Amino acid sequence: MKVLVIGGAGYIGSHVVKELMAKGHEVTVFDNLSSGLVQNLFSDNEFIAGDILHPEDLNEAFELGFDAFIHLAAFKAAGESMTNPEKYSLNNINGTINILNSAMEHNCKNMVFSSSAAVFGEPQYQPLDEKHPTNPENYYGFTKLKIEEFMGWYEKLKGLRFASLRYFNAAGYDTDGVLYGLERHPANLLPVMMEVAVGKRDKISIFGNDYKTRDGTCIRDYIHVSDLASAHVLALDYIVNKKKSLTLNLGTGKGITVTEMLEAARRITGKEIKAEYVGRRAGDPAQLTASSELAYKTLGWRPRTSDVDSLISSTWKAYKKFYRITN
């Protein structure tokens, strides 16, 4: 298929592009490079520098003719969304409407959307499945839920077929070592640990060690970015071949504690990685995990490289390559 990947120079997007290429698809990347990196682009693909807030850019892209598109261009920082909702309204909501309108105008009606488990809000039970009520607690999650609703209406009114994939924490790096472009301002646990390991930060703060978990620190469901990429491509094949839309959760159903991640990072990197335990952050649940049983039944998808050692070793490999660390 001929696939347009919107946000394809970003962290997750570049891994999705690599997986699409491995499966024989013809890929074009559309990105404004605000967070994506030229380093993440492949010479075999056409690249279009454009912005989803500019409909004329999208129209120029979709005029090339595509069988499908994958949307990975939403802003994702939950905390920032609560202090700057205007930014998230413009990019996530207005930008997605621009994408949908341009895609429909050019008869591109197969869409995979990288959504979020943030649409669920405070867990009522775990692991979260697709039937769990949606009640987002941050504006980021609200925008993702609204996008899912837009897609549902465009399905009814315009014949769109879509796959919406919900997950918590993307982590890890390309296990082949081809992709190693680092996020510019990481805020997630694993890249922050790596920045301590390479000497870019002095220490990491761990928020709370008195939760009712196996070691007192929060449990989070980390999914290796290559597993996520595989799910995106499998979902695309499904909606095209089955001519059905679907919404799926992606997760291990188990999760890893912050302390477990820290101890494994120290072991694998051989670095001290200084850490301090500080008070809890407001609104942080003790545990967040998602079930992928429906994804397995529907797509045959299972996380294959989302164990703690694979997550950390692939990330450390990328950081060592980027910072040219030899030991």
Side-chain angles (χ1 to χ4, degrees), residues 88 127 145 195 240 264 269 296:
Y88 283 70
L145 184 58
E195 289 195 345
V240 170
T269 65
Y296 177 70

Side-chain angles (χ1 to χ4, degrees), residues 1-56:
M1 282 185 286
K2 196 174 177 183
V3 184
L4 179 67
V5 182
I6 302 170
Y11 168 56
I12 298 175
S14 58
H15 287 80
V16 171
V17 168
K18 183 174 181 284
E19 180 70 10
L20 284 165
M21 293 169 62
K23 300 301 182 184
H25 298 290
E26 182 181 343
V27 180
T28 296
V29 171
F30 181 98
D31 203 299
N32 67 3
L33 299 179
S34 62
S35 58
L37 303 171
V38 172
Q39 184 181 345
N40 286 338
L41 299 173
F42 293 88
S43 59
D44 292 342
N45 301 324
E46 183 172 354
F47 170 63
I48 299 172
D51 197 302
I52 64 174
L53 297 183
H54 301 154
E56 63 275 15

Side-chain angles (χ1 to χ4, degrees), residues 108-133:
C108 184
K109 296 189 175 182
N110 296 300
M111 172 184 184
V112 177
F113 176 54
S114 197
S115 189
S116 170
V119 301
F120 295 116
E122 183 69 27
Q124 296 184 14
Y125 57 85
Q126 296 198 57
L128 298 166
D129 58 22
E130 290 76 6
K131 295 178 182 178
H132 190 285

Side-chain angles (χ1 to χ4, degrees), residues 117-118 120-123 125-128 137 168-169 213 218-222 252-256 283-290:
F120 295 116
E122 183 69 27
Y125 57 85
Q126 296 198 57
L128 298 166
E137 292 192 324
F168 282 115
N169 299 80
T213 60
C218 288
I219 295 173
R220 295 293 181 262
D221 204 337
Y222 296 91
T252 65
K254 299 176 183 178
I256 303 165
D284 264 357
Q287 179 174 341
L288 291 172
T289 56

Side-chain angles (χ1 to χ4, degrees), residues 158-192:
K158 304 294 289 187
L160 175 71
R161 285 189 291 269
F162 69 86
S164 185
L165 305 179
R166 299 164 167 173
Y167 52 91
F168 282 115
N169 299 80
Y173 269 84
D174 170 35
T175 53
D176 295 330
V178 174
L179 292 167
Y180 60 95
L182 305 182
E183 293 182 273
R184 289 179 179 140
H185 304 290
N188 294 332
L189 176 65
L190 187 48
V192 170

Side-chain angles (χ1 to χ4, degrees), residues 1-6 58 61-70 99-112 154 158-162 236 239-240:
M1 282 185 286
K2 196 174 177 183
V3 184
L4 179 67
V5 182
I6 302 170
L58 289 163
F62 277 105
E63 281 173 0
L64 298 175
F66 294 96
D67 301 302
F69 65 99
I70 300 179
I99 293 169
L100 288 168
N101 289 345
S102 185
M104 296 306 98
E105 182 179 343
H106 295 89
N107 200 38
C108 184
K109 296 189 175 182
N110 296 300
M111 172 184 184
V112 177
Y154 273 69
K158 304 294 289 187
L160 175 71
R161 285 189 291 269
F162 69 86
L236 174 61
I239 63 172
V240 170

Side-chain angles (χ1 to χ4, degrees), residues 40-284:
N40 286 338
L41 299 173
F42 293 88
S43 59
D44 292 342
N45 301 324
E46 183 172 354
F47 170 63
I48 299 172
D51 197 302
I52 64 174
L53 297 183
H54 301 154
E56 63 275 15
D57 292 350
L58 289 163
N59 285 327
E60 287 181 12
F62 277 105
E63 281 173 0
L64 298 175
F66 294 96
D67 301 302
F69 65 99
I70 300 179
H71 177 13
L72 301 117
F75 291 145
K76 63 177 185 176
E80 181 188 42
S81 75
M82 298 295 281
T83 59
N84 193 356
E86 300 89 347
K87 176 180 177 180
Y88 283 70
S89 295
L90 282 172
N91 187 80
N92 293 11
I93 294 179
N94 291 21
T96 298
I97 291 171
N98 289 339
I99 293 169
L100 288 168
N101 289 345
S102 185
M104 296 306 98
E105 182 179 343
H106 295 89
N107 200 38
C108 184
K109 296 189 175 182
N110 296 300
M111 172 184 184
V112 177
F113 176 54
S114 197
S115 189
S116 170
V119 301
F120 295 116
E122 183 69 27
Q124 296 184 14
Y125 57 85
Q126 296 198 57
L128 298 166
D129 58 22
E130 290 76 6
K131 295 178 182 178
H132 190 285
T134 53
N135 185 28
E137 292 192 324
N138 56 63
Y139 194 68
Y140 159 70
F142 170 82
T143 65
K144 291 280 190 169
L145 184 58
K146 286 300 155 187
I147 291 168
E148 291 188 358
E149 292 176 3
F150 293 146
M151 292 189 300
W153 276 107
Y154 273 69
E155 179 183 31
K156 294 176 184 177
L157 303 176
K158 304 294 289 187
L160 175 71
R161 285 189 291 269
F162 69 86
S164 185
L165 305 179
R166 299 164 167 173
Y167 52 91
F168 282 115
N169 299 80
Y173 269 84
D174 170 35
T175 53
D176 295 330
V178 174
L179 292 167
Y180 60 95
L182 305 182
E183 293 182 273
R184 289 179 179 140
H185 304 290
N188 294 332
L189 176 65
L190 187 48
V192 170
M193 285 182 180
M194 294 297 103
E195 289 195 345
V196 178
V198 299
K200 191 173 180 181
R201 299 185 190 225
D202 294 331
K203 61 185 176 182
I204 183 170
S205 295
I206 296 175
F207 299 99
N209 61 346
D210 58 351
Y211 288 95
K212 292 182 179 179
T213 60
R214 51 185 174 264
D215 61 24
T217 59
C218 288
I219 295 173
R220 295 293 181 262
D221 204 337
Y222 296 91
I223 301 295
H224 196 285
V225 66
S226 296
D227 285 334
L228 286 178
S230 172
H232 280 72
V233 177
L234 288 170
L236 174 61
D237 291 340
Y238 179 92
I239 63 172
V240 170
N241 295 325
K242 300 291 186 180
K243 304 189 186 310
K244 292 180 181 178
S245 296
L246 76 164
T247 298
L248 296 174
N249 292 357
L250 304 175
T252 65
K254 299 176 183 178
I256 303 165
T257 74
V258 176
T259 296
E260 287 168 350
M261 189 74 86
L262 175 62
E263 290 175 349
R266 287 169 170 166
R267 169 172 53 82
I268 290 168
T269 65
K271 305 295 183 180
E272 180 183 359
I273 309 183
K274 291 182 181 179
E276 65 172 352
Y277 291 97
V278 297
R280 297 185 184 189
R281 284 185 303 198
D284 264 357

